[in-house]
Amino acid sequence: MTHAPDLADRIDDLLPQTQCTRCGYAGCRPYAEAIADGAAGIDRCPPGGDATIARLAQLVGCDAPPLDTSRGMPGPLLVACIDEAACIGCTLCIQACPVDAIVGAQKRMHGVLSALCSGCELCVAPCPVDCIAMVPAGREWGADDAKAARVHHAARTRRLASAIAAERVHEGRKRQAAIAAAIARARARRTAPASEV
């Protein structure tokens, strides 16, 4: 049995799924939830521009406000491009990419899968050698791109959550082992003859 999409689902479906965070939220879904809850206006999405604002206004039943340009300007799709000669392989861009469009390994040159890049620009600022430029994609961001970006973002979110959970388990086991070792040392001291202490 399927359920009817709630308002946040319908809003999220209208957003471009670039996951750029320019709206002030951690991605398109949190922004959609904020709009649905009345905590955010519909004018905060530069990648979506006026067309997205118009669709959101129709959905929520309000007049379409102008885009809040303090969050950025709409424009053609840009994709990240890494200067291979300058890349030091620090992986900071990989960690920043919300849709897993950057590939590479530590201390190795990185590359951008331009078909997956949402143009969010989140990889630019963390680069310590300023080797990432945003260049025209030469194509429009479409519905298929949005669907793929949503899937990649969700998979990345699940992977990171799983890694955090695994790290917590590992840290918990280390803490338990340290406590057990301390208890064993204390018991050994208590049972040792006075001459050995």
Side-chain angles (χ1 to χ4, degrees):
M1 179 176 167
T2 61
H3 72 288
D6 66 10
L7 182 57
D9 291 334
R10 290 180 286 157
I11 292 169
D12 191 38
D13 285 342
L14 296 177
L15 294 173
Q17 302 303 316
T18 58
Q19 315 302 337
C20 68
T21 72
R22 288 182 229 171
C23 60
Y25 292 88
C28 293
R29 179 62 193 200
Y31 178 42
E33 291 169 355
I35 293 172
D37 291 341
I42 61 171
D43 61 345
R44 296 178 163 202
C45 182
D50 292 332
T52 296
I53 291 173
R55 288 192 297 272
L56 290 171
Q58 184 177 16
L59 176 64
V60 299
C62 71
D63 292 332
L67 177 68
D68 177 358
T69 56
S70 69
R71 300 179 179 283
M73 297 298 291
L77 176 63
L78 302 175
V79 294
C81 180
I82 297 175
D83 178 352
E84 297 175 5
C87 179
I88 60 172
C90 69
T91 73
L92 294 176
C93 59
I94 292 174
Q95 295 168 37
C97 181
V99 293
D100 286 339
I102 302 175
V103 295
Q106 194 160 9
K107 299 186 190 242
R108 300 283 187 250
M109 188 274 300
H110 295 33
V112 177
L113 303 172
S114 58
L116 299 181
C117 181
S118 67
C120 69
E121 301 181 23
L122 293 174
C123 59
V124 176
C127 180
V129 293
D130 199 25
C131 72
I132 302 174
M134 300 304 294
V135 299
R139 64 182 183 85
E140 295 292 319
W141 182 260
D144 289 341
D145 294 309
K147 287 177 188 172
R150 179 186 286 141
V151 168
H152 286 281
H153 182 64
R156 178 180 186 271
T157 301
R158 284 190 304 273
R159 187 182 71 249
L160 293 178
S162 177
I164 289 168
E167 179 62 24
R168 285 185 183 147
V169 167
H170 176 71
E171 289 298 318
R173 288 182 180 152
K174 279 177 39 180
R175 205 170 20 258
Q176 288 174 341
I179 291 168
I183 290 171
R185 285 191 304 273
R187 285 184 180 148
R189 280 194 302 269
R190 277 191 298 229
T191 59
S195 61
E196 294 180 16
V197 177

